Structure formats: C-alpha cells, structure tokens
Amino acid sequence: MVAFHKADARQHYTFTSESVSEGHPDKVCDQISDAIVDAMLSVNPEARAAVETLATTNHVLLAGEVRGAESVTPEKIEQIVRETVRGIGYDQEGFHWEHLTLENRLHEQSADIARGVDASGNKDEGAGDQGIMFGFACDEMPNLMPAPIGYANEILKSLARVRHSGEAPELGPDAKSQVSLEYRDGAPVRARSVVVSTQHQADVSQERVREIVTEHVRKVLPEGWMPEEKEFYVNPTGQFIIGGPDGDAGLTGRKIIVDTYGGAAPHGGGAFSGKDPTKVDRSAAYAARYLAKNVVAAGLADRCLIQVSYAIGVSHPISFFVSTGGTSHVDEAALEAVLPEMMDLSPRGIREHLQLNRPIYAASAAYGHFGRQPREDGAFSWEKLDLVDTLRSHFGVKQAATS
C-alpha cells in the first residue's frame, strides 16, 4: 500500500506498472464493447448496455444484455465491430476486420435488474449492482496520476501514433510496456527498468525494433531517467510477429489495473468497458477519481484515495471513505463530510454531474480511463478540476499545491 499510506510506507523502493496497447487482445474487446455502448447512447441517452466481447483467431463473440436502442440493429453492430477492428489496424491473416466471423449473442436486459435500477413512483434510480469503487490521485505527474502507469501508457501511445501515421510501418497493433521506477524520499527519481514488447512485421530485425522503441522511451521519460542498457528490454522473447487475438484470446474487462492506476491504488474489482453509466462499477469509479483529483489539485493533500460502495437498487451510497496517507493539510473526516455535499453520489447524481449519458466511452477503452484531457465532446469529464476553487474556499487554502 505504498501509494497512499505514505506516512507509514518505506521512502526508498521500486514500484512497477504495466500498460497494453489498443491492439492487445483484451483491449480490442474493450474497444468493441464500448463502441457498441456509444452507438446505443447516441440514439437513446437512457439506453442500458452490458456488452461482453471475446475475440480469438478471426472470430468475435458478443454476449450480454441491452435495452432501449432497438435501432442499433444486428447489422449495425456488425458494422461497428468491423470498423473498430479496422481502426485499430488489424488486417492480418489471423485477425482481419473484413474476414472475421461475428457471433452476436446480445439479448434483452433482465426484467429483475431493470426493476431494481429504474426510477418509478417515489423511488429514485438505483445502482445497477452492489460493489465497491475506488478513485485515486497523487502529485507525481501533472495529470495527478501515479508515475509508473503514466509513463507506461505514454510509451505505448507514442508508438501507436507513429504506427497510425505511417512513420513506423514496421510495427503491428499489439504491444505491452512495463515501467519500474525507483522512489527516493517517496518520489520517483528514475527508471530502474523498462520492458516493451511490440508486434512487428516478419521481415523487420530486432535491432530495428529496438531502435524505434528506444527513441520513444527516451522521448517519454524525463531527461536522465533511462535505465541502464541491461535493464532495458525490447521484445525479450526474440520476436513478436503473431499478435492480437490470433496470438491470445481477448476478453472485455481483463485489464482493469491498466485501465486505472497501475496497481498503485486499490481496485474494487469491476470492469468499466461495455457498461452504460447506470452501472456504478463505471460511473462511481469515475466520480471517485474526479473527487480525489480535485482534492489534490486544490492543494488539500499530496495524494487522495476515495472508496464508495453501493447496493443494487439503492439510490444512495452505502459508505464513503477518504484516505490521504498522512499527506493531508486538512482533516480527513472533514473531507469525508464535505465531498458528498459537493457532488450527489447517487447513480443519477453522478451521471448528471459528469454528463455521462453521452457516447463518450470508446475513447477511454485504451491507454487508461484516467489522467486524460477532458474533450469537447464530453469524454473524460471526470478529469475536470472545476471543484478546486470551491474546495480551497471551503477549507481556507490560499494556493493550490499543484495545477
């Protein structure tokens, strides 16, 4: 628990996080699931969706429950699947956007779930399931994310940009990164090791792959942070030609640590992708990140962990917990009291505050749901810092510790 129990933690240690690219088989599935969610929300902001995707060699299987967007027909869903796979860059023999077989097993949402979730009479909209959700922020990077996952994501995004632009046609869509940072006095100071595995064309040498990857790792890491050469691993198996769902089967929701904080904070266990925003696995985790980020940005703490819990069909949170790991400049109990007053944490309140009933989720399905820039279309609204002034005023803090 080094990431948030800072006061009790060792101050000198190494911490590691991994990330995966948009072409990783599990991430292919996340993107397909969220593209279908977006399609449904675009025709009905109140649509319900819980879409699971499995992908293997030239085959995609959809399963789950949907309601309220009948115009998103099976034919439209097939088009979405193929366009998503094509956009990622899969036109390979073992996984090709045009040649893959699609099996669609989506069906109508359970009436029992609908009864518990939907508002009716004097009953407000309830949570779509029980569960616990966490949000986290810290001052290690300007986007208030833990540095290991932040740099692991940025390395893969940088490689993806040159692959899509045609600057590095040697690379394939599937890739993984892993960054181990050395911490001194509780702050990251350098990379102890970096691992990058990236799919590549069969006629490309490993020396060329290493040359491409090295350029992007150097560009992403702060100056002087590159690990020793012996601790910099590029395609350590020797080659990576067969990748994506042809190399390993993919499933929605298997990269929840990549999606969040790289293991630097707890995870409640529920995946995000494929779920409409009435599912608190998704929306409440976004709300918790939003509140934690604003606390740190306001200068009230160097790091902040928030837990919130729900019961299925119940409109209000069952519990709300704040921990700053001894880094708070205000009373934690006071934070626990005031934050739920600044944001209605009911499922409906979260959706309305963050305007989540929009087709904004495909953008979040690769390279992390957190630490991203809010977009004009409403994506990543949970990364906004619009509570900072209110929090500073409430607690009498004159200047934020970070921006």
PDB file of all heavy atoms in Angstrom, residues 256-281:
ATOM      1  N   ILE A 256      -8.212  -4.307 -15.916  1.00  0.00           N
ATOM      2  CA  ILE A 256      -8.749  -3.266 -15.049  1.00  0.00           C
ATOM      3  C   ILE A 256      -7.662  -2.486 -14.328  1.00  0.00           C
ATOM      4  O   ILE A 256      -7.860  -1.318 -13.988  1.00  0.00           O
ATOM      5  CB  ILE A 256      -9.761  -3.844 -14.036  1.00  0.00           C
ATOM      6  CG1 ILE A 256      -9.133  -4.936 -13.171  1.00  0.00           C
ATOM      7  CG2 ILE A 256     -10.991  -4.379 -14.768  1.00  0.00           C
ATOM      8  CD1 ILE A 256     -10.054  -5.493 -12.099  1.00  0.00           C
ATOM      9  N   ILE A 257      -6.508  -3.088 -14.092  1.00  0.00           N
ATOM     10  CA  ILE A 257      -5.414  -2.360 -13.436  1.00  0.00           C
ATOM     11  C   ILE A 257      -4.747  -1.416 -14.443  1.00  0.00           C
ATOM     12  O   ILE A 257      -4.383  -0.286 -14.107  1.00  0.00           O
ATOM     13  CB  ILE A 257      -4.402  -3.332 -12.818  1.00  0.00           C
ATOM     14  CG1 ILE A 257      -5.099  -4.237 -11.790  1.00  0.00           C
ATOM     15  CG2 ILE A 257      -3.250  -2.573 -12.159  1.00  0.00           C
ATOM     16  CD1 ILE A 257      -5.837  -3.484 -10.688  1.00  0.00           C
ATOM     17  N   VAL A 258      -4.601  -1.861 -15.682  1.00  0.00           N
ATOM     18  CA  VAL A 258      -4.123  -0.974 -16.741  1.00  0.00           C
ATOM     19  C   VAL A 258      -5.089   0.198 -16.920  1.00  0.00           C
ATOM     20  O   VAL A 258      -4.675   1.336 -17.139  1.00  0.00           O
ATOM     21  CB  VAL A 258      -3.976  -1.754 -18.059  1.00  0.00           C
ATOM     22  CG1 VAL A 258      -3.688  -0.814 -19.224  1.00  0.00           C
ATOM     23  CG2 VAL A 258      -2.876  -2.806 -17.938  1.00  0.00           C
ATOM     24  N   ASP A 259      -6.386  -0.079 -16.818  1.00  0.00           N
ATOM     25  CA  ASP A 259      -7.400   0.961 -17.002  1.00  0.00           C
ATOM     26  C   ASP A 259      -7.342   2.034 -15.930  1.00  0.00           C
ATOM     27  O   ASP A 259      -7.817   3.152 -16.153  1.00  0.00           O
ATOM     28  CB  ASP A 259      -8.803   0.344 -16.979  1.00  0.00           C
ATOM     29  CG  ASP A 259      -9.144  -0.410 -18.244  1.00  0.00           C
ATOM     30  OD1 ASP A 259      -8.464  -0.194 -19.268  1.00  0.00           O
ATOM     31  OD2 ASP A 259     -10.099  -1.213 -18.218  1.00  0.00           O
ATOM     32  N   THR A 260      -6.796   1.704 -14.753  1.00  0.00           N
ATOM     33  CA  THR A 260      -6.886   2.625 -13.621  1.00  0.00           C
ATOM     34  C   THR A 260      -5.517   3.160 -13.203  1.00  0.00           C
ATOM     35  O   THR A 260      -4.970   4.013 -13.886  1.00  0.00           O
ATOM     36  CB  THR A 260      -7.624   1.940 -12.458  1.00  0.00           C
ATOM     37  OG1 THR A 260      -6.988   0.676 -12.140  1.00  0.00           O
ATOM     38  CG2 THR A 260      -9.076   1.662 -12.822  1.00  0.00           C
ATOM     39  N   TYR A 261      -4.944   2.622 -12.125  1.00  0.00           N
ATOM     40  CA  TYR A 261      -3.773   3.267 -11.519  1.00  0.00           C
ATOM     41  C   TYR A 261      -2.530   2.379 -11.504  1.00  0.00           C
ATOM     42  O   TYR A 261      -1.588   2.636 -10.759  1.00  0.00           O
ATOM     43  CB  TYR A 261      -4.129   3.726 -10.095  1.00  0.00           C
ATOM     44  CG  TYR A 261      -5.394   4.549 -10.073  1.00  0.00           C
ATOM     45  CD1 TYR A 261      -6.604   4.009  -9.623  1.00  0.00           C
ATOM     46  CD2 TYR A 261      -5.399   5.859 -10.555  1.00  0.00           C
ATOM     47  CE1 TYR A 261      -7.772   4.766  -9.642  1.00  0.00           C
ATOM     48  CE2 TYR A 261      -6.564   6.608 -10.583  1.00  0.00           C
ATOM     49  CZ  TYR A 261      -7.744   6.054 -10.122  1.00  0.00           C
ATOM     50  OH  TYR A 261      -8.898   6.799 -10.146  1.00  0.00           O
ATOM     51  N   GLY A 262      -2.524   1.344 -12.316  1.00  0.00           N
ATOM     52  CA  GLY A 262      -1.334   0.510 -12.431  1.00  0.00           C
ATOM     53  C   GLY A 262      -0.964  -0.229 -11.176  1.00  0.00           C
ATOM     54  O   GLY A 262       0.198  -0.604 -10.998  1.00  0.00           O
ATOM     55  N   GLY A 263      -1.932  -0.448 -10.288  1.00  0.00           N
ATOM     56  CA  GLY A 263      -1.665  -1.145  -9.036  1.00  0.00           C
ATOM     57  C   GLY A 263      -1.235  -0.241  -7.912  1.00  0.00           C
ATOM     58  O   GLY A 263      -1.010  -0.711  -6.783  1.00  0.00           O
ATOM     59  N   ALA A 264      -1.127   1.056  -8.150  1.00  0.00           N
ATOM     60  CA  ALA A 264      -0.688   1.990  -7.116  1.00  0.00           C
ATOM     61  C   ALA A 264      -1.800   2.342  -6.135  1.00  0.00           C
ATOM     62  O   ALA A 264      -1.548   2.989  -5.124  1.00  0.00           O
ATOM     63  CB  ALA A 264      -0.158   3.273  -7.761  1.00  0.00           C
ATOM     64  N   ALA A 265      -3.025   1.928  -6.432  1.00  0.00           N
ATOM     65  CA  ALA A 265      -4.165   2.136  -5.541  1.00  0.00           C
ATOM     66  C   ALA A 265      -5.080   0.934  -5.676  1.00  0.00           C
ATOM     67  O   ALA A 265      -5.025   0.215  -6.682  1.00  0.00           O
ATOM     68  CB  ALA A 265      -4.911   3.427  -5.902  1.00  0.00           C
ATOM     69  N   PRO A 266      -5.949   0.684  -4.707  1.00  0.00           N
ATOM     70  CA  PRO A 266      -6.848  -0.479  -4.806  1.00  0.00           C
ATOM     71  C   PRO A 266      -7.829  -0.342  -5.960  1.00  0.00           C
ATOM     72  O   PRO A 266      -8.083   0.746  -6.475  1.00  0.00           O
ATOM     73  CB  PRO A 266      -7.605  -0.454  -3.458  1.00  0.00           C
ATOM     74  CG  PRO A 266      -6.785   0.389  -2.552  1.00  0.00           C
ATOM     75  CD  PRO A 266      -6.101   1.395  -3.421  1.00  0.00           C
ATOM     76  N   HIS A 267      -8.379  -1.490  -6.335  1.00  0.00           N
ATOM     77  CA  HIS A 267      -9.437  -1.539  -7.357  1.00  0.00           C
ATOM     78  C   HIS A 267     -10.589  -2.346  -6.784  1.00  0.00           C
ATOM     79  O   HIS A 267     -10.363  -3.393  -6.165  1.00  0.00           O
ATOM     80  CB  HIS A 267      -8.910  -2.191  -8.635  1.00  0.00           C
ATOM     81  CG  HIS A 267      -9.812  -1.999  -9.820  1.00  0.00           C
ATOM     82  ND1 HIS A 267     -11.077  -2.552  -9.887  1.00  0.00           N
ATOM     83  CD2 HIS A 267      -9.641  -1.319 -10.987  1.00  0.00           C
ATOM     84  CE1 HIS A 267     -11.649  -2.214 -11.033  1.00  0.00           C
ATOM     85  NE2 HIS A 267     -10.792  -1.459 -11.715  1.00  0.00           N
ATOM     86  N   GLY A 268     -11.812  -1.883  -6.991  1.00  0.00           N
ATOM     87  CA  GLY A 268     -12.968  -2.581  -6.453  1.00  0.00           C
ATOM     88  C   GLY A 268     -13.274  -3.893  -7.132  1.00  0.00           C
ATOM     89  O   GLY A 268     -14.029  -4.703  -6.606  1.00  0.00           O
ATOM     90  N   GLY A 269     -12.711  -4.114  -8.321  1.00  0.00           N
ATOM     91  CA  GLY A 269     -12.875  -5.383  -8.998  1.00  0.00           C
ATOM     92  C   GLY A 269     -13.758  -5.333 -10.219  1.00  0.00           C
ATOM     93  O   GLY A 269     -13.700  -6.228 -11.062  1.00  0.00           O
ATOM     94  N   GLY A 270     -14.596  -4.327 -10.371  1.00  0.00           N
ATOM     95  CA  GLY A 270     -15.495  -4.241 -11.516  1.00  0.00           C
ATOM     96  C   GLY A 270     -14.841  -3.560 -12.699  1.00  0.00           C
ATOM     97  O   GLY A 270     -14.163  -2.541 -12.550  1.00  0.00           O
ATOM     98  N   ALA A 271     -15.048  -4.138 -13.896  1.00  0.00           N
ATOM     99  CA  ALA A 271     -14.534  -3.528 -15.118  1.00  0.00           C
ATOM    100  C   ALA A 271     -15.415  -2.361 -15.532  1.00  0.00           C
ATOM    101  O   ALA A 271     -16.547  -2.209 -15.063  1.00  0.00           O
ATOM    102  CB  ALA A 271     -14.472  -4.565 -16.228  1.00  0.00           C
ATOM    103  N   PHE A 272     -14.906  -1.519 -16.426  1.00  0.00           N
ATOM    104  CA  PHE A 272     -15.618  -0.341 -16.917  1.00  0.00           C
ATOM    105  C   PHE A 272     -16.235  -0.577 -18.288  1.00  0.00           C
ATOM    106  O   PHE A 272     -17.400  -0.281 -18.525  1.00  0.00           O
ATOM    107  CB  PHE A 272     -14.676   0.856 -17.018  1.00  0.00           C
ATOM    108  CG  PHE A 272     -13.989   1.242 -15.735  1.00  0.00           C
ATOM    109  CD1 PHE A 272     -12.810   1.972 -15.765  1.00  0.00           C
ATOM    110  CD2 PHE A 272     -14.502   0.879 -14.501  1.00  0.00           C
ATOM    111  CE1 PHE A 272     -12.172   2.345 -14.599  1.00  0.00           C
ATOM    112  CE2 PHE A 272     -13.871   1.241 -13.322  1.00  0.00           C
ATOM    113  CZ  PHE A 272     -12.705   1.972 -13.373  1.00  0.00           C
ATOM    114  N   SER A 273     -15.443  -1.074 -19.221  1.00  0.00           N
ATOM    115  CA  SER A 273     -15.847  -1.106 -20.618  1.00  0.00           C
ATOM    116  C   SER A 273     -17.052  -2.014 -20.843  1.00  0.00           C
ATOM    117  O   SER A 273     -17.206  -3.053 -20.209  1.00  0.00           O
ATOM    118  CB  SER A 273     -14.686  -1.552 -21.505  1.00  0.00           C
ATOM    119  OG  SER A 273     -13.686  -0.555 -21.552  1.00  0.00           O
ATOM    120  N   GLY A 274     -17.899  -1.582 -21.778  1.00  0.00           N
ATOM    121  CA  GLY A 274     -19.091  -2.329 -22.128  1.00  0.00           C
ATOM    122  C   GLY A 274     -20.304  -2.006 -21.279  1.00  0.00           C
ATOM    123  O   GLY A 274     -21.379  -2.560 -21.517  1.00  0.00           O
ATOM    124  N   LYS A 275     -20.168  -1.086 -20.324  1.00  0.00           N
ATOM    125  CA  LYS A 275     -21.257  -0.796 -19.392  1.00  0.00           C
ATOM    126  C   LYS A 275     -21.771   0.627 -19.580  1.00  0.00           C
ATOM    127  O   LYS A 275     -20.980   1.573 -19.678  1.00  0.00           O
ATOM    128  CB  LYS A 275     -20.773  -0.979 -17.950  1.00  0.00           C
ATOM    129  CG  LYS A 275     -20.344  -2.408 -17.648  1.00  0.00           C
ATOM    130  CD  LYS A 275     -19.771  -2.556 -16.246  1.00  0.00           C
ATOM    131  CE  LYS A 275     -19.328  -3.995 -16.009  1.00  0.00           C
ATOM    132  NZ  LYS A 275     -18.695  -4.168 -14.681  1.00  0.00           N
ATOM    133  N   ASP A 276     -23.094   0.767 -19.612  1.00  0.00           N
ATOM    134  CA  ASP A 276     -23.674   2.104 -19.639  1.00  0.00           C
ATOM    135  C   ASP A 276     -23.472   2.771 -18.279  1.00  0.00           C
ATOM    136  O   ASP A 276     -23.157   2.103 -17.290  1.00  0.00           O
ATOM    137  CB  ASP A 276     -25.163   2.026 -20.012  1.00  0.00           C
ATOM    138  CG  ASP A 276     -26.017   1.483 -18.883  1.00  0.00           C
ATOM    139  OD1 ASP A 276     -26.259   2.215 -17.907  1.00  0.00           O
ATOM    140  OD2 ASP A 276     -26.444   0.313 -18.972  1.00  0.00           O
ATOM    141  N   PRO A 277     -23.639   4.092 -18.187  1.00  0.00           N
ATOM    142  CA  PRO A 277     -23.275   4.804 -16.952  1.00  0.00           C
ATOM    143  C   PRO A 277     -24.204   4.597 -15.769  1.00  0.00           C
ATOM    144  O   PRO A 277     -23.917   5.122 -14.684  1.00  0.00           O
ATOM    145  CB  PRO A 277     -23.244   6.273 -17.386  1.00  0.00           C
ATOM    146  CG  PRO A 277     -24.131   6.339 -18.570  1.00  0.00           C
ATOM    147  CD  PRO A 277     -23.951   5.031 -19.276  1.00  0.00           C
ATOM    148  N   THR A 278     -25.289   3.827 -15.904  1.00  0.00           N
ATOM    149  CA  THR A 278     -26.050   3.476 -14.693  1.00  0.00           C
ATOM    150  C   THR A 278     -25.303   2.431 -13.881  1.00  0.00           C
ATOM    151  O   THR A 278     -25.618   2.229 -12.704  1.00  0.00           O
ATOM    152  CB  THR A 278     -27.455   2.935 -15.033  1.00  0.00           C
ATOM    153  OG1 THR A 278     -27.334   1.685 -15.717  1.00  0.00           O
ATOM    154  CG2 THR A 278     -28.242   3.923 -15.860  1.00  0.00           C
ATOM    155  N   LYS A 279     -24.325   1.757 -14.508  1.00  0.00           N
ATOM    156  CA  LYS A 279     -23.535   0.768 -13.787  1.00  0.00           C
ATOM    157  C   LYS A 279     -22.484   1.494 -12.951  1.00  0.00           C
ATOM    158  O   LYS A 279     -21.569   2.124 -13.477  1.00  0.00           O
ATOM    159  CB  LYS A 279     -22.852  -0.195 -14.747  1.00  0.00           C
ATOM    160  CG  LYS A 279     -23.711  -1.352 -15.224  1.00  0.00           C
ATOM    161  CD  LYS A 279     -24.803  -0.955 -16.144  1.00  0.00           C
ATOM    162  CE  LYS A 279     -25.488  -2.168 -16.768  1.00  0.00           C
ATOM    163  NZ  LYS A 279     -26.630  -1.752 -17.622  1.00  0.00           N
ATOM    164  N   VAL A 280     -22.614   1.398 -11.627  1.00  0.00           N
ATOM    165  CA  VAL A 280     -21.710   2.149 -10.754  1.00  0.00           C
ATOM    166  C   VAL A 280     -20.284   1.626 -10.797  1.00  0.00           C
ATOM    167  O   VAL A 280     -19.358   2.331 -10.383  1.00  0.00           O
ATOM    168  CB  VAL A 280     -22.238   2.192  -9.300  1.00  0.00           C
ATOM    169  CG1 VAL A 280     -23.398   3.169  -9.184  1.00  0.00           C
ATOM    170  CG2 VAL A 280     -22.626   0.805  -8.802  1.00  0.00           C
ATOM    171  N   ASP A 281     -20.080   0.397 -11.270  1.00  0.00           N
ATOM    172  CA  ASP A 281     -18.705  -0.049 -11.499  1.00  0.00           C
ATOM    173  C   ASP A 281     -17.948   0.997 -12.299  1.00  0.00           C
ATOM    174  O   ASP A 281     -16.769   1.260 -12.045  1.00  0.00           O
ATOM    175  CB  ASP A 281     -18.691  -1.363 -12.289  1.00  0.00           C
ATOM    176  CG  ASP A 281     -18.887  -2.581 -11.407  1.00  0.00           C
ATOM    177  OD1 ASP A 281     -18.684  -2.476 -10.190  1.00  0.00           O
ATOM    178  OD2 ASP A 281     -19.249  -3.645 -11.946  1.00  0.00           O
TER     179      ASP A 281
END
